[in-house]
Amino acid sequence: MNRRHCAAAAITLVCALAVLAAPVQAMATPAPEPSPATGKTLEEVREEIDTLYRKAGAATDAYNLAEEQAKKQSGEIVQLAEAIADGQARIAELKSTAGAQAREQYRNGGLPPGAQLVLSNDPRLFLDGVNQVRQGQQATKGVLTQLKRTQEDLETYTQDASINWTKLESNRVKQAKAKKSITAQIAAAKKIESRLEKKEQARLLELEQQAASTAQAAWLSSGALKDINREASSSGRVAIGFATAQIGKPYVWGAEGPRSYDCSGLTSQAWAAAKRPIPRTSQEQWRLLPRIAVRDMRPGDLIIYHSDASHVGMYVGDGAIVHAPRPGRNVTLTGAGSMPILGVVRPDK
């Protein structure tokens, strides 16, 4: 935890220095010139690339959700197929039983049990026959009732399997569409970056860090962190330990570890390690998990970012989060206020 505190303190210090330095830069730095490669200023390029990666992030959420739903429906289809097979076997068994009863009746001369009973001259056989008739009637009725119920169940299973198959195909279409969008957005961002000179790429990274630092400094100066001093729960400490152990691993969209992660892949796996399974995507985490006021958040809580809930990070204390930022970046610590906060959710409430 010392490393976390040091890292978070360093983030705060960098943000503070950025704020102190900003007025001087504003006075000393001339107006930015357009990049020869793009015809835009590097700040405009940074905003364009950031927008493209945010769109890719939203599409990644759609892909991940469709994938989770497809997995669920595939599992349900398998279970229904097994139920259908069991139902067909049960129907065959019941039909065999009914056939055996019909053959037994034929061997008795084809007379109904009631007629055979009347023709009997032996009182004991008469009484035995009454019981046998009753038992036979009950058995026959039971077989027919079971057969009807099993046939109804089989029809229901078949209808459910058909519905789930339709949903599965629909989610496969959604996956393909989301994957296409993700690939296009990332390719567009990488194309812009590849056209920049090396010194411009380095400067672009500086601008990205400055933007995050400025946003973090503004968040801290608002007093948002003033009363946030709670300790993590026991489950939260496990989740934090897992998440921080992934620092340095690359972001890969759709990844859930162990070698790479996307933003919600990291948070969902961290809480799975704490024996608290949560939804796979940031949007579902925002929709389904209990919401907490920012002033009440504690380490281990998840901060959801942007108006479309397309990004998530885990709060680790001291104003910092651990998160998987975007393609081309690694899992890292950064300021909790470095991006627009939508809200906070608590997996173990």
Side-chain angles (χ1 to χ4, degrees):
M1 295 298 285
N2 288 334
R3 182 179 72 170
R4 175 170 65 78
H5 286 302
C6 291
I11 291 168
T12 305
L13 178 59
V14 169
C15 294
L17 291 174
V19 172
L20 291 173
V24 178
Q25 290 174 350
M27 294 172 61
T29 304
E33 295 183 2
S35 165
T38 63
K40 300 177 181 178
T41 66
L42 282 177
E43 179 58 26
E44 290 173 334
V45 171
R46 183 196 69 78
E47 291 177 353
E48 184 177 1
I49 290 174
D50 184 62
T51 298
L52 287 168
Y53 279 126
R54 275 197 56 208
K55 288 181 178 178
T60 297
D61 243 25
Y63 176 91
N64 289 337
L65 180 58
E67 183 179 44
E68 286 296 296
Q69 290 174 337
K71 286 180 181 177
K72 179 182 177 182
Q73 278 139 15
S74 293
E76 289 176 351
I77 287 172
V78 170
Q79 291 177 347
L80 287 168
E82 292 173 350
I84 288 170
D86 290 343
Q88 289 172 334
R90 180 60 177 154
I91 285 174
E93 179 185 345
L94 290 169
K95 285 182 176 179
S96 176
T97 301
Q101 290 176 344
R103 288 191 295 273
E104 178 65 22
Q105 181 176 347
Y106 178 78
R107 283 194 293 270
N108 288 330
L111 291 173
Q116 295 178 33
L117 183 60
V118 171
L119 294 175
S120 174
N121 294 320
D122 190 329
R124 287 175 299 177
L125 291 177
F126 181 86
L127 292 175
D128 289 342
V130 170
N131 290 329
Q132 289 175 8
V133 168
R134 287 176 178 172
Q135 291 173 3
Q137 289 173 339
Q138 291 173 351
T140 301
K141 184 178 179 181
V143 168
L144 294 176
T145 300
Q146 290 182 51
L147 181 59
K148 181 182 178 182
R149 185 185 303 120
T150 302
Q151 287 173 328
E152 290 173 348
D153 289 344
L154 189 60
E155 184 177 348
T156 300
Y157 295 150
T158 304
Q159 290 174 348
D160 289 346
S162 177
I163 291 170
N164 276 348
W165 183 261
T166 301
K167 289 180 180 178
L168 179 61
E169 290 301 305
S170 174
N171 280 314
R172 282 174 177 164
V173 171
K174 289 178 183 178
Q175 278 181 276
K177 185 177 179 180
K179 183 176 182 179
K180 185 177 180 180
S181 176
I182 294 163
T183 303
Q185 303 292 350
I186 292 175
K190 287 183 176 179
K191 183 177 180 180
I192 294 172
E193 289 181 296
S194 68
R195 291 163 58 189
L196 299 175
E197 297 177 0
K198 286 189 177 180
K199 64 179 181 180
E200 288 179 321
Q201 291 179 357
R203 177 60 183 152
L204 190 67
L205 180 58
E206 289 178 8
L207 289 173
E208 182 182 307
Q209 293 170 341
Q210 285 178 9
S213 297
T214 300
Q216 172 73 354
W219 184 68
L220 292 174
S221 65
S222 72
L225 199 62
K226 183 179 178 182
D227 297 321
I228 302 177
N229 57 3
R230 293 167 184 79
E231 292 293 324
S233 65
S234 57
S235 297
R237 286 193 290 273
V238 175
I240 292 169
F242 180 95
T244 53
Q246 313 313 310
I247 289 174
K249 294 183 179 180
Y251 176 107
V252 174
W253 70 266
E256 299 177 79
R259 295 182 177 86
S260 57
Y261 297 87
D262 63 19
C263 66
S264 56
L266 177 65
T267 54
S268 60
Q269 289 302 303
W271 274 101
K275 310 300 182 186
R276 292 283 186 135
I278 63 173
R280 168 64 177 87
T281 71
S282 59
Q283 291 174 343
E284 289 295 282
Q285 289 169 7
W286 174 243
R287 188 174 73 88
L288 297 174
L289 295 178
R291 298 181 184 181
I292 301 296
V294 172
R295 66 179 178 275
D296 295 327
M297 95 178 149
R298 68 189 184 195
D301 289 345
L302 305 182
I303 303 181
I304 309 297
Y305 293 96
H306 307 301
S307 59
D308 58 357
S310 57
H311 191 70
V312 60
M314 179 180 292
Y315 186 63
V316 295
D318 299 322
I321 60 167
V322 59
H323 74 142
R326 66 167 177 80
R329 300 288 183 263
N330 297 330
V331 176
T332 188
L333 285 168
T334 194
S338 59
M339 296 167 284
I341 295 175
L342 177 61
V344 181
V345 294
R346 178 166 294 166
D348 60 342
K349 182 175 180 182

Short mmCIF file of all heavy atoms in Angstrom, two decimals, residues 296-340:
data_model
loop_
_atom_site.label_atom_id
_atom_site.label_comp_id
_atom_site.label_asym_id
_atom_site.label_seq_id
_atom_site.Cartn_x
_atom_site.Cartn_y
_atom_site.Cartn_z
N ASP A 296 -19.02 9.99 -0.30
CA ASP A 296 -19.07 8.79 0.54
C ASP A 296 -18.20 7.65 0.01
O ASP A 296 -18.20 6.56 0.57
CB ASP A 296 -20.52 8.28 0.65
CG ASP A 296 -21.42 9.26 1.37
OD1 ASP A 296 -20.92 9.95 2.28
OD2 ASP A 296 -22.61 9.36 1.01
N MET A 297 -17.47 7.89 -1.07
CA MET A 297 -16.75 6.76 -1.68
C MET A 297 -15.55 6.35 -0.83
O MET A 297 -14.99 7.13 -0.07
CB MET A 297 -16.36 7.11 -3.12
CG MET A 297 -15.04 7.66 -3.39
SD MET A 297 -14.81 7.93 -5.16
CE MET A 297 -13.72 9.35 -5.07
N ARG A 298 -15.19 5.07 -1.01
CA ARG A 298 -14.06 4.51 -0.29
C ARG A 298 -13.23 3.69 -1.28
O ARG A 298 -13.72 3.32 -2.36
CB ARG A 298 -14.54 3.63 0.86
CG ARG A 298 -15.24 2.36 0.42
CD ARG A 298 -15.89 1.63 1.59
NE ARG A 298 -16.48 0.35 1.15
CZ ARG A 298 -17.34 -0.36 1.85
NH1 ARG A 298 -17.75 0.11 3.03
NH2 ARG A 298 -17.83 -1.50 1.40
N PRO A 299 -11.98 3.40 -0.94
CA PRO A 299 -11.15 2.58 -1.83
C PRO A 299 -11.83 1.26 -2.17
O PRO A 299 -12.42 0.61 -1.32
CB PRO A 299 -9.88 2.36 -1.01
CG PRO A 299 -9.79 3.58 -0.14
CD PRO A 299 -11.21 3.89 0.23
N GLY A 300 -11.76 0.89 -3.44
CA GLY A 300 -12.42 -0.31 -3.93
C GLY A 300 -13.69 0.01 -4.71
O GLY A 300 -14.12 -0.80 -5.55
N ASP A 301 -14.29 1.18 -4.45
CA ASP A 301 -15.45 1.59 -5.22
C ASP A 301 -15.03 1.85 -6.67
O ASP A 301 -13.86 2.12 -6.96
CB ASP A 301 -16.07 2.86 -4.63
CG ASP A 301 -16.78 2.61 -3.31
OD1 ASP A 301 -17.03 1.43 -2.99
OD2 ASP A 301 -17.07 3.59 -2.59
N LEU A 302 -16.00 1.80 -7.56
CA LEU A 302 -15.74 2.02 -8.98
C LEU A 302 -16.26 3.39 -9.40
O LEU A 302 -17.41 3.73 -9.10
CB LEU A 302 -16.40 0.93 -9.83
CG LEU A 302 -16.02 -0.52 -9.47
CD1 LEU A 302 -16.73 -1.49 -10.41
CD2 LEU A 302 -14.51 -0.72 -9.52
N ILE A 303 -15.42 4.16 -10.07
CA ILE A 303 -15.84 5.46 -10.59
C ILE A 303 -16.17 5.28 -12.08
O ILE A 303 -15.34 4.80 -12.84
CB ILE A 303 -14.75 6.52 -10.40
CG1 ILE A 303 -14.38 6.64 -8.91
CG2 ILE A 303 -15.23 7.87 -10.92
CD1 ILE A 303 -13.33 7.69 -8.62
N ILE A 304 -17.38 5.68 -12.44
CA ILE A 304 -17.84 5.58 -13.83
C ILE A 304 -17.66 6.94 -14.49
O ILE A 304 -18.02 7.97 -13.91
CB ILE A 304 -19.32 5.15 -13.89
CG1 ILE A 304 -19.56 3.90 -13.02
CG2 ILE A 304 -19.75 4.91 -15.32
CD1 ILE A 304 -18.81 2.66 -13.46
N TYR A 305 -17.12 6.93 -15.71
CA TYR A 305 -16.78 8.18 -16.39
C TYR A 305 -17.57 8.39 -17.67
O TYR A 305 -18.00 7.43 -18.32
CB TYR A 305 -15.29 8.19 -16.72
CG TYR A 305 -14.40 8.26 -15.50
CD1 TYR A 305 -13.86 7.10 -14.95
CD2 TYR A 305 -14.11 9.47 -14.88
CE1 TYR A 305 -13.05 7.15 -13.83
CE2 TYR A 305 -13.30 9.53 -13.75
CZ TYR A 305 -12.78 8.37 -13.23
OH TYR A 305 -11.98 8.42 -12.12
N HIS A 306 -17.74 9.67 -18.01
CA HIS A 306 -18.39 10.14 -19.23
C HIS A 306 -19.90 9.91 -19.16
O HIS A 306 -20.38 9.01 -18.46
CB HIS A 306 -17.80 9.48 -20.48
CG HIS A 306 -16.30 9.60 -20.58
ND1 HIS A 306 -15.65 10.82 -20.60
CD2 HIS A 306 -15.33 8.65 -20.63
CE1 HIS A 306 -14.35 10.60 -20.68
NE2 HIS A 306 -14.12 9.30 -20.67
N SER A 307 -20.62 10.72 -19.91
CA SER A 307 -22.09 10.69 -19.83
C SER A 307 -22.68 9.37 -20.31
O SER A 307 -23.80 9.02 -19.93
CB SER A 307 -22.66 11.84 -20.65
OG SER A 307 -22.26 11.73 -22.02
N ASP A 308 -21.93 8.64 -21.15
CA ASP A 308 -22.43 7.35 -21.64
C ASP A 308 -21.90 6.16 -20.84
O ASP A 308 -22.07 5.01 -21.25
CB ASP A 308 -22.09 7.18 -23.12
CG ASP A 308 -20.58 7.25 -23.38
OD1 ASP A 308 -19.81 7.48 -22.42
OD2 ASP A 308 -20.18 7.07 -24.55
N ALA A 309 -21.26 6.44 -19.70
CA ALA A 309 -20.73 5.38 -18.82
C ALA A 309 -19.79 4.45 -19.58
O ALA A 309 -19.75 3.24 -19.33
CB ALA A 309 -21.86 4.57 -18.19
N SER A 310 -18.98 5.02 -20.47
CA SER A 310 -18.13 4.21 -21.34
C SER A 310 -16.75 3.89 -20.76
O SER A 310 -15.96 3.19 -21.39
CB SER A 310 -17.95 4.91 -22.69
OG SER A 310 -17.39 6.20 -22.52
N HIS A 311 -16.46 4.39 -19.55
CA HIS A 311 -15.17 4.08 -18.94
C HIS A 311 -15.34 3.90 -17.43
O HIS A 311 -16.25 4.46 -16.83
CB HIS A 311 -14.16 5.21 -19.21
CG HIS A 311 -12.75 4.84 -18.84
ND1 HIS A 311 -12.02 3.92 -19.55
CD2 HIS A 311 -11.94 5.25 -17.83
CE1 HIS A 311 -10.81 3.79 -19.00
NE2 HIS A 311 -10.76 4.58 -17.95
N VAL A 312 -14.46 3.08 -16.85
CA VAL A 312 -14.52 2.83 -15.42
C VAL A 312 -13.12 2.65 -14.86
O VAL A 312 -12.22 2.13 -15.54
CB VAL A 312 -15.39 1.58 -15.11
CG1 VAL A 312 -14.81 0.33 -15.78
CG2 VAL A 312 -15.54 1.36 -13.62
N GLY A 313 -12.92 3.12 -13.64
CA GLY A 313 -11.67 2.91 -12.93
C GLY A 313 -11.97 2.56 -11.48
O GLY A 313 -13.08 2.83 -10.99
N MET A 314 -11.01 1.98 -10.78
CA MET A 314 -11.20 1.63 -9.37
C MET A 314 -10.50 2.66 -8.49
O MET A 314 -9.30 2.91 -8.63
CB MET A 314 -10.64 0.24 -9.08
CG MET A 314 -10.79 -0.16 -7.61
SD MET A 314 -10.12 -1.81 -7.27
CE MET A 314 -11.29 -2.82 -8.17
N TYR A 315 -11.27 3.23 -7.56
CA TYR A 315 -10.68 4.18 -6.63
C TYR A 315 -9.79 3.45 -5.65
O TYR A 315 -10.19 2.45 -5.06
CB TYR A 315 -11.79 4.94 -5.89
CG TYR A 315 -11.27 6.05 -5.01
CD1 TYR A 315 -10.59 7.14 -5.54
CD2 TYR A 315 -11.43 6.00 -3.63
CE1 TYR A 315 -10.10 8.15 -4.74
CE2 TYR A 315 -10.95 7.02 -2.81
CZ TYR A 315 -10.28 8.09 -3.38
OH TYR A 315 -9.78 9.09 -2.57
N VAL A 316 -8.55 3.95 -5.48
CA VAL A 316 -7.61 3.29 -4.57
C VAL A 316 -7.23 4.17 -3.38
O VAL A 316 -6.41 3.79 -2.56
CB VAL A 316 -6.32 2.85 -5.33
CG1 VAL A 316 -6.64 1.79 -6.36
CG2 VAL A 316 -5.62 4.04 -5.98
N GLY A 317 -7.85 5.36 -3.30
CA GLY A 317 -7.56 6.26 -2.19
C GLY A 317 -6.65 7.40 -2.60
O GLY A 317 -6.00 7.38 -3.66
N ASP A 318 -6.60 8.44 -1.76
CA ASP A 318 -5.73 9.59 -1.98
C ASP A 318 -5.97 10.26 -3.33
O ASP A 318 -5.04 10.76 -3.96
CB ASP A 318 -4.27 9.20 -1.84
CG ASP A 318 -3.93 8.68 -0.46
OD1 ASP A 318 -4.46 9.22 0.52
OD2 ASP A 318 -3.16 7.71 -0.36
N GLY A 319 -7.21 10.23 -3.81
CA GLY A 319 -7.55 10.92 -5.05
C GLY A 319 -7.12 10.22 -6.31
O GLY A 319 -7.11 10.83 -7.38
N ALA A 320 -6.77 8.93 -6.24
CA ALA A 320 -6.25 8.21 -7.41
C ALA A 320 -7.11 7.01 -7.76
O ALA A 320 -7.81 6.45 -6.92
CB ALA A 320 -4.83 7.75 -7.15
N ILE A 321 -7.04 6.62 -9.03
CA ILE A 321 -7.69 5.39 -9.50
C ILE A 321 -6.64 4.54 -10.20
O ILE A 321 -5.60 5.04 -10.66
CB ILE A 321 -8.84 5.66 -10.49
CG1 ILE A 321 -8.33 6.39 -11.75
CG2 ILE A 321 -9.98 6.39 -9.83
CD1 ILE A 321 -9.32 6.40 -12.90
N VAL A 322 -6.93 3.24 -10.30
CA VAL A 322 -6.18 2.36 -11.18
C VAL A 322 -7.14 2.00 -12.31
O VAL A 322 -8.30 1.70 -12.06
CB VAL A 322 -5.65 1.11 -10.45
CG1 VAL A 322 -6.78 0.29 -9.85
CG2 VAL A 322 -4.83 0.23 -11.40
N HIS A 323 -6.66 2.09 -13.55
CA HIS A 323 -7.55 1.81 -14.69
C HIS A 323 -6.75 1.40 -15.91
O HIS A 323 -5.52 1.57 -15.97
CB HIS A 323 -8.42 3.03 -15.00
CG HIS A 323 -7.69 4.16 -15.68
ND1 HIS A 323 -8.25 4.93 -16.68
CD2 HIS A 323 -6.43 4.65 -15.52
CE1 HIS A 323 -7.39 5.84 -17.09
NE2 HIS A 323 -6.29 5.70 -16.40
N ALA A 324 -7.46 0.82 -16.87
CA ALA A 324 -6.89 0.51 -18.19
C ALA A 324 -7.39 1.60 -19.13
O ALA A 324 -8.58 1.61 -19.47
CB ALA A 324 -7.35 -0.87 -18.66
N PRO A 325 -6.53 2.53 -19.55
CA PRO A 325 -7.00 3.76 -20.21
C PRO A 325 -7.58 3.56 -21.60
O PRO A 325 -8.76 3.84 -21.83
CB PRO A 325 -5.74 4.63 -20.28
CG PRO A 325 -4.76 4.01 -19.33
CD PRO A 325 -5.08 2.55 -19.29
N ARG A 326 -6.77 3.06 -22.54
CA ARG A 326 -7.21 2.94 -23.93
C ARG A 326 -6.17 2.17 -24.72
O ARG A 326 -5.08 1.90 -24.20
CB ARG A 326 -7.42 4.32 -24.55
CG ARG A 326 -6.14 5.16 -24.72
CD ARG A 326 -6.42 6.34 -25.61
NE ARG A 326 -5.31 7.26 -25.80
CZ ARG A 326 -4.29 7.08 -26.63
NH1 ARG A 326 -4.18 5.94 -27.32
NH2 ARG A 326 -3.36 8.00 -26.77
N PRO A 327 -6.47 1.82 -25.98
CA PRO A 327 -5.46 1.15 -26.79
C PRO A 327 -4.18 1.98 -26.89
O PRO A 327 -4.23 3.21 -27.00
CB PRO A 327 -6.14 1.03 -28.17
CG PRO A 327 -7.60 1.00 -27.85
CD PRO A 327 -7.77 1.91 -26.68
N GLY A 328 -3.05 1.31 -26.80
CA GLY A 328 -1.78 2.00 -26.85
C GLY A 328 -1.27 2.43 -25.49
O GLY A 328 -0.18 2.98 -25.38
N ARG A 329 -2.05 2.21 -24.45
CA ARG A 329 -1.65 2.57 -23.09
C ARG A 329 -1.72 1.34 -22.20
O ARG A 329 -2.37 0.35 -22.53
CB ARG A 329 -2.56 3.67 -22.53
CG ARG A 329 -2.54 4.97 -23.34
CD ARG A 329 -1.25 5.71 -23.15
NE ARG A 329 -1.27 6.98 -23.86
CZ ARG A 329 -0.75 7.18 -25.06
NH1 ARG A 329 -0.20 6.16 -25.72
NH2 ARG A 329 -0.77 8.37 -25.62
N ASN A 330 -1.06 1.42 -21.05
CA ASN A 330 -1.03 0.30 -20.10
C ASN A 330 -1.88 0.61 -18.87
O ASN A 330 -2.18 1.78 -18.59
CB ASN A 330 0.41 0.02 -19.66
CG ASN A 330 1.30 -0.41 -20.81
OD1 ASN A 330 0.81 -1.02 -21.78
ND2 ASN A 330 2.58 -0.12 -20.73
N VAL A 331 -2.23 -0.42 -18.14
CA VAL A 331 -2.91 -0.24 -16.85
C VAL A 331 -2.02 0.63 -15.98
O VAL A 331 -0.82 0.41 -15.87
CB VAL A 331 -3.15 -1.60 -16.16
CG1 VAL A 331 -3.76 -1.41 -14.78
CG2 VAL A 331 -4.05 -2.48 -17.02
N THR A 332 -2.63 1.65 -15.36
CA THR A 332 -1.83 2.64 -14.64
C THR A 332 -2.63 3.29 -13.52
O THR A 332 -3.84 3.13 -13.42
CB THR A 332 -1.34 3.73 -15.63
OG1 THR A 332 -0.42 4.59 -14.97
CG2 THR A 332 -2.50 4.56 -16.14
N LEU A 333 -1.94 4.06 -12.70
CA LEU A 333 -2.56 4.93 -11.70
C LEU A 333 -2.71 6.32 -12.30
O LEU A 333 -1.81 6.79 -13.00
CB LEU A 333 -1.70 5.02 -10.44
CG LEU A 333 -1.70 3.82 -9.49
CD1 LEU A 333 -0.59 3.99 -8.47
CD2 LEU A 333 -3.04 3.69 -8.78
N THR A 334 -3.81 6.97 -12.03
CA THR A 334 -4.00 8.35 -12.47
C THR A 334 -4.96 9.04 -11.51
O THR A 334 -5.52 8.42 -10.61
CB THR A 334 -4.54 8.40 -13.91
OG1 THR A 334 -4.42 9.73 -14.41
CG2 THR A 334 -6.00 7.97 -13.97
N GLY A 335 -5.15 10.33 -11.71
CA GLY A 335 -6.05 11.08 -10.84
C GLY A 335 -7.50 10.70 -11.06
O GLY A 335 -7.95 10.52 -12.19
N ALA A 336 -8.24 10.56 -9.96
CA ALA A 336 -9.65 10.16 -10.07
C ALA A 336 -10.48 11.22 -10.78
O ALA A 336 -11.51 10.91 -11.37
CB ALA A 336 -10.22 9.90 -8.68
N GLY A 337 -10.01 12.47 -10.73
CA GLY A 337 -10.76 13.55 -11.38
C GLY A 337 -10.21 13.93 -12.73
O GLY A 337 -10.56 14.99 -13.26
N SER A 338 -9.38 13.08 -13.32
CA SER A 338 -8.75 13.41 -14.60
C SER A 338 -9.69 13.28 -15.78
O SER A 338 -9.36 13.66 -16.90
CB SER A 338 -7.51 12.53 -14.82
OG SER A 338 -7.87 11.16 -14.81
N MET A 339 -10.87 12.71 -15.57
CA MET A 339 -11.90 12.57 -16.60
C MET A 339 -13.24 12.97 -16.00
O MET A 339 -13.40 12.98 -14.77
CB MET A 339 -11.96 11.11 -17.08
CG MET A 339 -10.71 10.61 -17.76
SD MET A 339 -10.72 8.79 -17.95
CE MET A 339 -10.32 8.27 -16.26
N PRO A 340 -14.21 13.31 -16.85
CA PRO A 340 -15.53 13.70 -16.33
C PRO A 340 -16.21 12.54 -15.59
O PRO A 340 -16.46 11.49 -16.17
CB PRO A 340 -16.32 14.07 -17.59
CG PRO A 340 -15.29 14.36 -18.63
CD PRO A 340 -14.14 13.47 -18.32
#
